Amino acid sequence: MAFTSTRRLFLQGTALTGAAAALTACSQKSAEEQAQQANAANDKAVEEQMKLPSTAWERVDYDQVADGGTFTIAIAQVPANWNQSHIDGNEVSLSAIMETVCPQTPLKASENGEAKPDPDYIKSAELTSEDPQIVTVKFNEKAVWSDGTPVTVDDLISQQKAQNGENDKYQTASTTGWSSIKEIRKINDFEAEIEYAETFPFWNIYLYPSLPKAVTATPEAFNGLSTEPTLTRGPFAIDNIDATGGVITVKRNDKWWGRAPKLESIIFKVTTQQNQAQAFVNGELDYIDISDGDTYGQAKGRKDAVIQKSNGLSWSHLTLNVGGADGAFGDAKVREAIFRGIDRNAVARAVMEPLESPVILVNNYIYMPGQEGYEDSFGDLKFDPEASAKLLEEAGYKKNGDVYEKDGKPLAFSLIIPAETKSSEDRARQIMTNLNAVGFKVDLQTVPADKYFDDYVIPGSFAAVSFGWRGTLFAEQSGTNVFLKDSGQNFTGFAPESLEGLNKELHSELDPSKRVEIANKFSKEQFGAFTVLPFYATPTIIGLTEGFVNVGAAQFETTDWTAVGKKA
């Protein structure tokens, strides 16, 4: 529905169906021939994917949209923390809600990805000095928080201090950007000079507060939004939270200073992945993200609905905890054996074919396929069980029956999956089958879906997990954060030493072509760590009740929630 700028979001259910069929799809051809065919198919798929539009929704002028009505959206969970900048709030359900009540970044992106300041929040912003780098920003004086108090420079100053990384008691999802600011000088309540410690090319993202001063003033306030939302500043405001029933309702914000929203209210309803299709077909939902073939097939059967497809920014992966599996993952050869022992094409085919979408493997950690700057970082990586077994033997493991062992310990680990998320289970079964055939002993551990991130992924209580990341319009700015040593988004417990320096170079280089070179070097260095194995790129596929306009599938474009509604 919009882009996310300052950090990547994790997605619980990334698509995978039909794994059993994929398991039998291996031919007798050589690994080299299979790799050549797979690469050729992937190149063709990228071309096919580019035929999808960047924005697929029906455009209608604001004046041609009917006034009133309710729009119901499926989400995965009630937010565990209502602070988007907190590590527990860094998930897609909260992002969907906050887009309507408090967009994190006050920029509007067009269909082709061009981002400009939203005049409802920012009157002007310009680079007024290059050495030192100084940005002068002027706020819209009409902007107020949902309690009616003005949004001021003091809010911005307080948020920068909370998220710059100097006080580790703030459990922030990312310090990127905020840590590059040397000082924010207040000219008046609505105008400031932002000086950077060094050159920083992504300054347009860090111009406006997404949190009021009361929330960022202390770590206790910043970390303590587990049940109650903070003040917001969007066209809608939170009206009711039914945590037990899993329903969050937002209504028109009577303090909103901009163009009045067409919709009267928006309902966000927690619906498990396996139940979304039926709820959509029954007319209980107006909007669903479709990520698996079962949902896709059922949603197409609803007569008063449309299916929209656009290019997307989401990718699924396997993440390894370097300290997991009794320390076996501390050996890079073991991790590389996992990378070479999984058939990524089989995983991707199982997802994309039921979605009637092309297979596109992701071979870069910063850019998405088709995005400007994308290069293949993975070199000779291919599905090669023999090479996988050889790596394990080089690492000192020997087969005992069907399982490799070292010092009497079997090479065993659990892959943790969320309950009632068929896509995650099917993907995990494909991974398990591939690796067990090599000589690992992998089992699946199912945990409650609403505990998956909070109790397992974020605290690092796992050996291996598989979920999805949603990339961003600002790939170079946000993409590195998932892999940096001290990042709250790096769940591997490991980072190559070279990444910090490369990240610093990337975030201080003004030349776009040089940034691309640095970003791809970063991606290649990260690949050599063998800690996060990307699978496939997923197009944005949306099921939408017929008649709703200015909302739906989009790769970059920001949804203008004031213009969403039924066509008049």
XYZ file of all heavy atoms in Angstrom, residues 406-503:
753
model
N 29.987 -35.161 14.244
C 31.336 -34.694 14.596
C 31.445 -34.712 16.113
O 30.576 -34.155 16.803
C 31.577 -33.287 14.056
C 32.990 -32.757 14.281
C 33.147 -31.378 13.638
C 34.543 -30.839 13.820
N 34.719 -29.504 13.196
N 32.478 -35.342 16.613
C 32.676 -35.474 18.063
C 31.458 -36.085 18.741
O 31.086 -35.698 19.855
C 33.008 -34.113 18.691
C 34.272 -33.496 18.122
O 35.184 -34.261 17.752
O 34.341 -32.251 18.034
N 30.808 -37.018 18.054
C 29.667 -37.718 18.622
C 28.353 -36.955 18.555
O 27.317 -37.465 18.997
N 28.390 -35.736 17.993
C 27.166 -34.932 17.907
C 26.625 -34.953 16.478
O 27.354 -34.615 15.535
C 27.442 -33.484 18.324
C 27.760 -33.307 19.797
C 27.935 -31.822 20.113
C 28.201 -31.604 21.592
N 28.380 -30.158 21.917
N 25.360 -35.332 16.292
C 24.770 -35.300 14.948
C 24.554 -33.862 14.487
O 24.366 -32.949 15.299
C 23.437 -36.029 15.137
C 23.093 -35.835 16.568
C 24.407 -35.818 17.314
N 24.591 -33.671 13.200
C 24.374 -32.345 12.619
C 22.866 -32.114 12.539
O 22.241 -32.237 11.489
C 25.023 -32.268 11.247
C 25.255 -30.892 10.630
C 25.877 -29.931 11.629
C 26.117 -31.002 9.397
N 22.269 -31.795 13.710
C 20.817 -31.700 13.842
C 20.399 -30.294 14.253
O 21.098 -29.629 15.030
C 20.318 -32.707 14.871
N 19.267 -29.845 13.725
C 18.705 -28.566 14.165
C 17.224 -28.506 13.823
O 16.732 -29.267 12.973
C 19.448 -27.371 13.560
C 19.299 -27.206 12.070
C 18.297 -26.420 11.522
C 20.193 -27.834 11.209
C 18.178 -26.259 10.155
C 20.090 -27.673 9.832
C 19.076 -26.880 9.304
N 16.524 -27.608 14.500
C 15.097 -27.388 14.261
C 14.899 -26.135 13.432
O 15.594 -25.127 13.629
C 14.343 -27.236 15.589
O 14.380 -28.436 16.328
N 13.973 -26.192 12.520
C 13.545 -25.037 11.743
C 12.211 -24.598 12.314
O 11.221 -25.335 12.252
C 13.421 -25.416 10.264
C 12.982 -24.346 9.266
C 13.823 -23.089 9.392
C 13.056 -24.898 7.849
N 12.181 -23.416 12.927
C 10.989 -22.947 13.634
C 10.030 -22.274 12.663
O 10.430 -21.419 11.870
C 11.379 -21.983 14.767
C 12.245 -22.718 15.799
C 10.137 -21.398 15.440
C 12.718 -21.845 16.935
N 8.749 -22.669 12.738
C 7.731 -22.118 11.847
C 6.516 -21.674 12.661
O 6.222 -22.236 13.705
C 7.295 -23.142 10.779
C 6.771 -24.424 11.436
C 8.446 -23.453 9.841
C 6.203 -25.431 10.449
N 5.804 -20.635 12.192
C 4.599 -20.184 12.879
C 3.410 -21.078 12.551
O 3.244 -21.528 11.413
C 4.382 -18.769 12.340
C 4.994 -18.803 10.981
C 6.141 -19.766 11.047
N 2.572 -21.347 13.546
C 1.382 -22.175 13.339
C 0.401 -21.480 12.397
O 0.390 -20.251 12.267
C 0.713 -22.458 14.682
N -0.402 -22.262 11.720
C -1.480 -21.781 10.858
C -0.969 -20.864 9.749
O -1.655 -19.935 9.323
C -2.557 -21.063 11.683
C -3.253 -21.983 12.693
C -4.356 -21.282 13.443
O -4.343 -20.037 13.514
O -5.248 -21.971 13.947
N 0.259 -21.111 9.310
C 0.825 -20.360 8.199
C 1.364 -21.383 7.204
O 2.529 -21.770 7.244
C 1.945 -19.414 8.678
O 1.476 -18.646 9.772
C 2.377 -18.466 7.565
N 0.482 -21.851 6.330
C 0.808 -22.971 5.457
C 2.024 -22.688 4.589
O 2.845 -23.580 4.328
C -0.392 -23.302 4.574
C -0.206 -24.583 3.766
C -1.441 -24.900 2.943
C -1.292 -26.257 2.254
N -0.152 -26.274 1.324
N 2.165 -21.451 4.141
C 3.288 -21.136 3.274
C 4.613 -21.382 3.982
O 5.542 -21.957 3.419
C 3.219 -19.675 2.807
O 3.244 -18.811 3.917
N 4.710 -20.969 5.247
C 5.944 -21.167 5.996
C 6.211 -22.652 6.214
O 7.353 -23.119 6.121
C 5.869 -20.448 7.350
O 5.811 -19.053 7.172
N 5.164 -23.408 6.515
C 5.329 -24.847 6.739
C 5.791 -25.556 5.471
O 6.719 -26.384 5.497
C 4.018 -25.467 7.219
C 4.125 -26.967 7.462
C 2.822 -27.603 7.883
O 1.856 -26.861 8.166
O 2.761 -28.846 7.923
N 5.180 -25.226 4.341
C 5.558 -25.885 3.094
C 6.983 -25.538 2.680
O 7.726 -26.390 2.187
C 4.578 -25.507 1.982
C 3.219 -26.177 2.164
O 3.146 -27.135 2.951
O 2.256 -25.739 1.527
N 7.352 -24.274 2.855
C 8.729 -23.884 2.544
C 9.711 -24.637 3.430
O 10.745 -25.132 2.976
C 8.899 -22.374 2.712
C 10.308 -21.884 2.397
C 10.396 -20.368 2.279
N 9.940 -19.689 3.452
C 8.815 -18.986 3.527
N 7.998 -18.919 2.495
N 8.467 -18.366 4.637
N 9.364 -24.734 4.710
C 10.239 -25.431 5.647
C 10.359 -26.912 5.286
O 11.445 -27.502 5.421
C 9.698 -25.281 7.067
N 9.288 -27.523 4.830
C 9.352 -28.934 4.463
C 10.268 -29.154 3.247
O 10.977 -30.154 3.159
C 7.944 -29.475 4.191
C 7.108 -29.595 5.444
C 5.844 -30.393 5.242
N 5.079 -30.444 6.476
C 5.360 -31.248 7.505
N 6.394 -32.078 7.430
N 4.608 -31.231 8.589
N 10.237 -28.215 2.315
C 11.147 -28.323 1.165
C 12.604 -28.240 1.636
O 13.457 -29.026 1.209
C 10.856 -27.198 0.168
C 11.824 -27.147 -1.008
C 11.599 -28.286 -1.980
O 10.515 -28.438 -2.529
N 12.624 -29.097 -2.193
N 12.882 -27.290 2.511
C 14.235 -27.128 3.051
C 14.654 -28.394 3.806
O 15.756 -28.917 3.633
C 14.298 -25.897 3.979
C 14.058 -24.612 3.181
C 15.638 -25.832 4.713
C 13.779 -23.391 4.050
N 13.761 -28.871 4.656
C 14.048 -30.058 5.459
C 14.353 -31.264 4.567
O 15.330 -32.000 4.801
C 12.864 -30.364 6.377
C 13.034 -31.615 7.228
S 11.594 -31.936 8.303
C 10.343 -32.355 7.072
N 13.538 -31.464 3.548
C 13.727 -32.612 2.674
C 15.074 -32.541 1.958
O 15.813 -33.532 1.880
C 12.576 -32.690 1.657
O 11.343 -32.843 2.363
C 12.771 -33.869 0.709
N 15.408 -31.367 1.424
C 16.690 -31.212 0.735
C 17.867 -31.488 1.661
O 18.799 -32.226 1.312
C 16.825 -29.799 0.180
C 16.042 -29.565 -1.088
O 15.692 -28.437 -1.404
N 15.750 -30.607 -1.844
N 17.849 -30.881 2.845
C 19.003 -30.998 3.732
C 19.116 -32.381 4.361
O 20.226 -32.891 4.556
C 18.940 -29.921 4.816
C 19.073 -28.478 4.303
C 19.041 -27.495 5.473
C 20.348 -28.286 3.495
N 18.008 -33.000 4.671
C 18.070 -34.363 5.218
C 18.618 -35.349 4.191
O 19.268 -36.339 4.536
C 16.694 -34.801 5.712
C 16.312 -34.132 7.025
O 17.139 -33.453 7.642
N 15.081 -34.308 7.444
N 18.367 -35.066 2.915
C 18.919 -35.930 1.866
C 20.442 -35.815 1.791
O 21.124 -36.770 1.399
C 18.300 -35.571 0.515
N 20.966 -34.652 2.172
C 22.419 -34.454 2.201
C 23.044 -35.188 3.382
O 24.121 -35.787 3.269
C 22.761 -32.951 2.268
C 24.250 -32.749 2.527
C 22.339 -32.246 0.985
N 22.369 -35.161 4.533
C 22.920 -35.779 5.729
C 22.761 -34.955 6.980
O 23.355 -35.250 8.020
N 21.963 -33.879 6.888
C 21.562 -33.152 8.091
C 20.408 -33.908 8.758
O 19.806 -34.803 8.159
C 21.100 -31.731 7.738
C 22.194 -30.806 7.303
C 22.626 -30.787 5.985
C 22.792 -29.946 8.204
C 23.629 -29.928 5.575
C 23.788 -29.077 7.799
C 24.211 -29.073 6.479
N 20.109 -33.515 9.968
C 18.926 -34.045 10.650
C 18.076 -32.846 11.061
O 18.250 -32.275 12.129
C 19.316 -34.874 11.870
C 18.134 -35.578 12.528
C 18.584 -36.423 13.716
C 17.397 -37.147 14.359
N 17.844 -37.960 15.537
N 17.177 -32.453 10.170
C 16.359 -31.258 10.361
C 14.943 -31.679 10.738
O 14.370 -32.579 10.115
C 16.315 -30.402 9.079
C 15.492 -29.131 9.309
C 17.718 -30.055 8.619
N 14.400 -31.032 11.758
C 12.989 -31.238 12.089
C 12.303 -29.888 12.161
O 12.962 -28.847 12.233
C 12.834 -31.996 13.418
C 13.341 -31.206 14.601
O 12.643 -30.290 15.073
O 14.482 -31.485 15.056
N 10.993 -29.907 12.116
C 10.207 -28.674 12.169
C 9.630 -28.490 13.558
O 9.104 -29.429 14.152
C 9.069 -28.712 11.145
C 9.454 -29.024 9.696
C 8.238 -28.874 8.796
C 10.595 -28.137 9.235
N 9.731 -27.249 14.066
C 9.154 -26.912 15.361
C 8.101 -25.825 15.145
O 8.429 -24.717 14.732
C 10.231 -26.404 16.329
C 9.683 -26.012 17.704
C 10.749 -25.416 18.606
O 11.941 -25.488 18.314
N 10.327 -24.816 19.708
N 6.857 -26.162 15.407
C 5.764 -25.213 15.207
C 5.481 -24.466 16.504
O 5.337 -25.073 17.565
C 4.495 -25.944 14.746
O 4.779 -26.665 13.545
C 3.369 -24.964 14.478
N 5.393 -23.132 16.403
C 5.140 -22.286 17.567
C 3.936 -21.394 17.270
O 3.580 -21.197 16.109
C 6.376 -21.432 17.919
C 7.584 -22.323 18.210
C 6.694 -20.437 16.807
N 3.273 -20.843 18.293
C 2.131 -19.949 18.049
C 2.515 -18.786 17.142
O 3.579 -18.178 17.326
C 1.752 -19.468 19.449
C 2.241 -20.545 20.366
C 3.496 -21.059 19.739
N 1.678 -18.497 16.172
C 1.988 -17.464 15.188
C 2.242 -16.104 15.829
O 3.126 -15.358 15.404
C 0.860 -17.368 14.161
N 1.466 -15.770 16.878
C 1.629 -14.456 17.499
C 2.850 -14.391 18.416
O 3.164 -13.333 18.966
C 0.363 -14.047 18.263
C -0.004 -15.031 19.366
O 0.626 -16.105 19.457
O -0.925 -14.712 20.147
N 3.539 -15.523 18.605
C 4.759 -15.544 19.420
C 6.012 -15.714 18.559
O 7.129 -15.633 19.067
C 4.704 -16.693 20.436
C 3.503 -16.661 21.375
C 3.569 -15.482 22.319
C 2.404 -15.522 23.310
N 2.416 -14.325 24.204
N 5.819 -15.968 17.284
C 6.919 -16.344 16.399
C 8.055 -15.308 16.411
O 9.224 -15.648 16.638
C 6.370 -16.536 14.985
C 7.379 -16.947 13.943
C 8.045 -18.163 14.023
C 7.656 -16.121 12.854
C 8.952 -18.546 13.051
C 8.558 -16.494 11.882
C 9.206 -17.707 11.977
O 10.104 -18.079 11.013
N 7.718 -14.060 16.161
C 8.744 -13.021 16.151
C 9.156 -12.615 17.559
O 10.342 -12.548 17.879
C 8.267 -11.800 15.366
C 8.226 -12.026 13.886
C 7.026 -12.010 13.205
C 9.389 -12.282 13.171
C 6.980 -12.235 11.843
C 9.353 -12.503 11.808
C 8.146 -12.480 11.136
N 8.183 -12.351 18.412
C 8.475 -11.788 19.731
C 9.265 -12.741 20.612
O 10.149 -12.312 21.369
C 7.167 -11.404 20.437
C 6.384 -10.359 19.665
O 6.994 -9.676 18.834
O 5.169 -10.245 19.885
N 8.955 -14.033 20.566
C 9.581 -14.992 21.477
C 10.716 -15.803 20.857
O 11.492 -16.431 21.586
C 8.528 -15.969 22.023
C 7.545 -15.304 22.968
O 7.671 -14.084 23.186
O 6.629 -15.988 23.452
N 10.806 -15.797 19.544
C 11.799 -16.659 18.896
C 12.745 -15.878 17.985
O 13.957 -15.891 18.179
C 11.094 -17.777 18.113
C 10.310 -18.696 19.018
C 8.960 -18.475 19.284
C 10.939 -19.773 19.646
C 8.247 -19.299 20.137
C 10.231 -20.603 20.512
C 8.898 -20.358 20.747
O 8.202 -21.166 21.615
N 12.219 -15.198 16.967
C 13.082 -14.545 15.982
C 13.866 -13.391 16.604
O 15.103 -13.367 16.550
C 12.259 -14.048 14.777
C 13.170 -13.313 13.796
C 11.566 -15.210 14.077
N 13.162 -12.449 17.205
C 13.826 -11.242 17.706
C 14.838 -11.545 18.812
O 15.971 -11.038 18.764
C 12.782 -10.206 18.157
C 11.993 -9.697 16.939
C 13.447 -9.035 18.889
C 10.816 -8.820 17.277
N 14.516 -12.368 19.811
C 15.516 -12.668 20.841
C 16.584 -13.662 20.402
O 17.502 -13.971 21.160
C 14.686 -13.224 21.993
C 13.467 -13.791 21.365
C 13.181 -12.924 20.177
N 16.496 -14.186 19.188
C 17.492 -15.131 18.699
C 17.363 -16.513 19.280
O 18.346 -17.266 19.343
N 16.155 -16.899 19.675
C 15.918 -18.224 20.260
C 15.562 -19.224 19.165
O 14.447 -19.760 19.105
C 14.800 -18.143 21.306
O 15.155 -17.254 22.350
N 16.510 -19.465 18.271
C 16.279 -20.371 17.146
C 17.625 -20.788 16.559
O 18.645 -20.129 16.784
C 15.441 -19.688 16.060
C 16.147 -18.538 15.371
C 16.927 -18.751 14.241
C 16.041 -17.244 15.859
C 17.590 -17.711 13.607
C 16.715 -16.186 15.235
C 17.486 -16.422 14.102
N 17.602 -21.869 15.815
C 18.756 -22.253 14.999
C 18.550 -21.776 13.564
O 19.465 -21.257 12.930
C 18.963 -23.759 15.034
N 17.313 -21.931 13.055
C 16.998 -21.507 11.693
C 15.533 -21.092 11.616
O 14.678 -21.704 12.261
C 17.280 -22.631 10.701
N 15.275 -20.062 10.845
C 13.911 -19.582 10.609
C 13.790 -19.185 9.141
O 14.790 -18.919 8.464
C 13.546 -18.373 11.498
C 13.352 -18.791 12.947
C 14.591 -17.275 11.396
N 12.563 -19.119 8.664
C 12.317 -18.705 7.286
C 11.071 -17.838 7.259
O 9.978 -18.299 7.563
C 12.127 -19.927 6.386
O 11.874 -19.531 5.062
N 11.265 -16.567 6.934
C 10.130 -15.651 6.798
C 10.414 -14.736 5.616
O 11.148 -15.133 4.705
C 9.872 -14.867 8.099
C 11.061 -14.135 8.659
C 11.290 -12.805 8.344
C 11.949 -14.766 9.524
C 12.378 -12.117 8.865
C 13.035 -14.093 10.054
C 13.257 -12.769 9.720
N 9.842 -13.575 5.561
C 10.050 -12.684 4.429
C 10.474 -11.304 4.857
O 10.113 -10.831 5.943
N 11.286 -10.668 4.032
C 11.608 -9.252 4.204
C 10.916 -8.464 3.102
O 10.840 -8.924 1.963
C 13.109 -9.005 4.099
C 13.931 -9.422 5.277
C 14.836 -10.447 5.322
C 13.950 -8.817 6.577
N 15.407 -10.519 6.566
C 14.888 -9.535 7.357
C 13.257 -7.757 7.158
C 15.156 -9.221 8.682
C 13.521 -7.439 8.477
C 14.455 -8.158 9.224
N 10.465 -7.298 3.446
C 9.939 -6.386 2.423
C 10.980 -5.310 2.178
O 11.349 -4.561 3.080
C 8.620 -5.754 2.870
C 8.089 -4.715 1.872
C 6.694 -4.249 2.247
N 5.721 -5.323 2.047
C 4.440 -5.223 2.392
N 3.989 -4.128 2.973
N 3.616 -6.225 2.172
N 11.495 -5.261 0.968
C 12.467 -4.251 0.596
C 11.830 -2.875 0.518
O 10.641 -2.701 0.784
N 12.621 -1.882 0.110
C 12.138 -0.514 0.128
C 12.488 0.226 -1.149
O 13.321 -0.214 -1.945
C 12.728 0.276 1.311
O 14.059 0.687 0.981
C 12.737 -0.542 2.582
N 11.855 1.364 -1.305
C 12.177 2.271 -2.394
C 13.627 2.733 -2.280
O 14.324 2.902 -3.276
C 11.224 3.469 -2.330
C 11.482 4.645 -3.266
C 11.304 4.208 -4.706
C 10.524 5.788 -2.935
N 14.103 2.919 -1.046
C 15.456 3.410 -0.792
C 16.369 2.225 -0.460
O 16.800 2.053 0.678
C 15.440 4.427 0.348
C 14.497 5.575 0.113
C 13.250 5.592 0.712
C 14.841 6.608 -0.736
C 12.371 6.641 0.489
C 13.970 7.665 -0.971
C 12.728 7.681 -0.357
N 16.658 1.404 -1.470
C 17.374 0.150 -1.238
C 18.739 0.366 -0.608
O 19.130 -0.338 0.330
C 17.522 -0.601 -2.562
N 19.483 1.321 -1.100
C 20.841 1.543 -0.591
C 20.824 2.042 0.847
O 21.732 1.752 1.628
C 21.570 2.554 -1.482
C 21.762 2.068 -2.900
C 22.011 3.197 -3.881
O 21.991 4.375 -3.471
O 22.198 2.900 -5.067
N 19.786 2.762 1.194
C 19.707 3.321 2.542
C 19.271 2.287 3.565
O 19.819 2.206 4.661
C 18.741 4.516 2.546
C 18.602 5.227 3.876
C 17.509 4.601 4.740
O 16.584 3.960 4.237
N 17.619 4.779 6.033
N 18.301 1.458 3.210
C 17.710 0.556 4.200
C 18.215 -0.870 4.112
O 18.144 -1.620 5.086
C 16.186 0.541 4.036
O 15.828 -0.022 2.781
N 18.730 -1.265 2.943
C 19.038 -2.665 2.717
C 20.149 -3.220 3.585
O 20.156 -4.401 3.928
N 21.119 -2.402 3.942
C 22.266 -2.894 4.704
C 21.922 -3.221 6.143
O 22.592 -4.032 6.783
C 23.407 -1.870 4.694
O 22.961 -0.651 5.312
C 23.870 -1.574 3.271
N 20.883 -2.603 6.673
C 20.608 -2.696 8.104
C 20.324 -4.118 8.571
O 20.572 -4.461 9.728
C 19.419 -1.791 8.461
C 19.278 -1.590 9.953
O 20.210 -1.134 10.603
N 18.134 -1.923 10.497
N 19.830 -4.967 7.688
C 19.505 -6.344 8.046
C 20.764 -7.148 8.377
O 20.688 -8.158 9.075
C 18.729 -7.018 6.886
C 18.486 -8.489 7.152
C 17.400 -6.302 6.655
N 21.931 -6.676 7.936
C 23.140 -7.489 8.020
C 24.248 -6.912 8.902
O 25.268 -7.561 9.094
C 23.685 -7.713 6.603
C 22.638 -8.168 5.637
C 22.111 -7.304 4.685
C 22.132 -9.458 5.697
C 21.125 -7.712 3.797
C 21.134 -9.886 4.829
C 20.638 -9.011 3.877
N 24.053 -5.715 9.426
C 25.103 -5.081 10.227
C 25.191 -5.688 11.624
O 24.189 -6.143 12.187
C 24.849 -3.571 10.322
C 24.869 -2.825 8.985
C 24.518 -1.359 9.193
C 26.236 -2.950 8.300
N 26.371 -5.662 12.191
C 26.663 -6.363 13.440
C 25.736 -5.966 14.581
O 25.183 -6.816 15.273
C 28.115 -6.118 13.836
C 28.532 -6.840 15.118
C 29.988 -6.571 15.441
C 30.389 -7.270 16.737
N 31.791 -7.006 17.093
N 25.568 -4.683 14.808
C 24.808 -4.223 15.967
C 23.370 -3.833 15.632
O 22.695 -3.177 16.425
C 25.528 -3.029 16.626
C 26.886 -3.415 17.178
O 27.002 -4.535 17.709
O 27.818 -2.599 17.073
N 22.893 -4.236 14.472
C 21.542 -3.881 14.066
C 20.507 -4.747 14.774
O 20.693 -5.958 14.924
C 21.388 -4.052 12.552
O 20.028 -3.964 12.167
N 19.414 -4.125 15.174
C 18.313 -4.873 15.769
C 17.602 -5.773 14.782
O 16.774 -6.594 15.170
N 17.922 -5.638 13.478
C 17.283 -6.456 12.451
C 18.164 -7.618 11.994
O 17.726 -8.440 11.197
C 16.911 -5.595 11.246
C 15.784 -4.616 11.527
C 15.408 -3.847 10.280
O 16.115 -2.937 9.871
N 14.301 -4.205 9.674
N 19.393 -7.671 12.474
C 20.275 -8.784 12.122
C 20.101 -9.885 13.158
O 20.600 -9.799 14.280
C 21.733 -8.322 12.080
C 22.679 -9.431 11.645
O 22.275 -10.589 11.504
N 23.931 -9.083 11.443
N 19.386 -10.940 12.777
C 19.069 -12.012 13.712
C 20.054 -13.177 13.631
O 19.867 -14.196 14.280
C 17.645 -12.522 13.446
C 16.605 -11.439 13.507
C 15.782 -11.187 12.417
C 16.468 -10.657 14.639
C 14.821 -10.179 12.466
C 15.515 -9.644 14.696
C 14.701 -9.409 13.611
N 21.111 -13.024 12.817
C 22.053 -14.116 12.626
C 23.103 -14.191 13.733
O 23.748 -15.231 13.895
C 22.796 -13.971 11.285
O 23.692 -12.859 11.354
C 21.813 -13.778 10.144
N 23.309 -13.097 14.457
C 24.356 -13.061 15.473
C 25.746 -12.954 14.888
O 26.745 -13.202 15.580
N 25.849 -12.547 13.638
C 27.147 -12.501 12.964
C 27.108 -11.470 11.841
O 26.056 -11.245 11.235
C 27.494 -13.875 12.385
C 28.795 -13.908 11.624
C 29.995 -14.016 12.292
C 28.794 -13.829 10.229
C 31.199 -14.045 11.586
C 29.992 -13.862 9.524
C 31.192 -13.975 10.209
N 28.272 -10.860 11.575
C 28.416 -9.983 10.409
C 29.884 -9.933 10.015
O 30.756 -9.832 10.886
C 27.908 -8.578 10.712
N 30.200 -10.017 8.735
C 31.579 -9.842 8.293
C 32.113 -8.466 8.725
O 31.382 -7.470 8.664
C 31.482 -9.941 6.767
C 30.245 -10.721 6.513
C 29.295 -10.324 7.615
N 33.360 -8.417 9.154
C 33.931 -7.155 9.638
C 33.934 -6.079 8.567
O 33.839 -4.887 8.875
C 35.355 -7.395 10.146
C 35.420 -8.261 11.403
C 36.836 -8.420 11.918
O 37.755 -7.807 11.325
O 37.026 -9.152 12.905
N 34.034 -6.480 7.310
C 34.126 -5.502 6.221
C 32.846 -4.713 6.008
O 32.867 -3.641 5.399
C 34.489 -6.217 4.919
O 33.512 -7.205 4.599
N 31.720 -5.214 6.520
C 30.437 -4.567 6.219
C 30.311 -3.192 6.849
O 29.698 -2.288 6.253
C 29.276 -5.458 6.680
C 29.106 -6.798 5.968
C 27.782 -7.428 6.361
C 29.198 -6.649 4.455
N 30.852 -3.002 8.045
C 30.727 -1.700 8.703
C 31.369 -0.603 7.863
O 30.798 0.471 7.666
C 31.355 -1.746 10.093
C 30.599 -2.599 11.099
C 29.221 -2.048 11.447
O 29.021 -0.825 11.337
O 28.351 -2.853 11.817
N 32.580 -0.874 7.367
C 33.262 0.115 6.550
C 32.550 0.376 5.242
O 32.428 1.532 4.806
N 32.061 -0.688 4.609
C 31.332 -0.525 3.360
C 30.031 0.243 3.574
O 29.640 1.070 2.741
C 31.039 -1.892 2.739
C 32.236 -2.618 2.128
C 31.870 -4.058 1.776
C 32.739 -1.881 0.887
N 29.366 -0.040 4.683
C 28.130 0.675 4.995
C 28.405 2.165 5.188
O 27.641 3.018 4.728
C 27.493 0.091 6.251
C 26.161 0.725 6.575
O 25.212 0.647 5.804
N 26.095 1.401 7.719
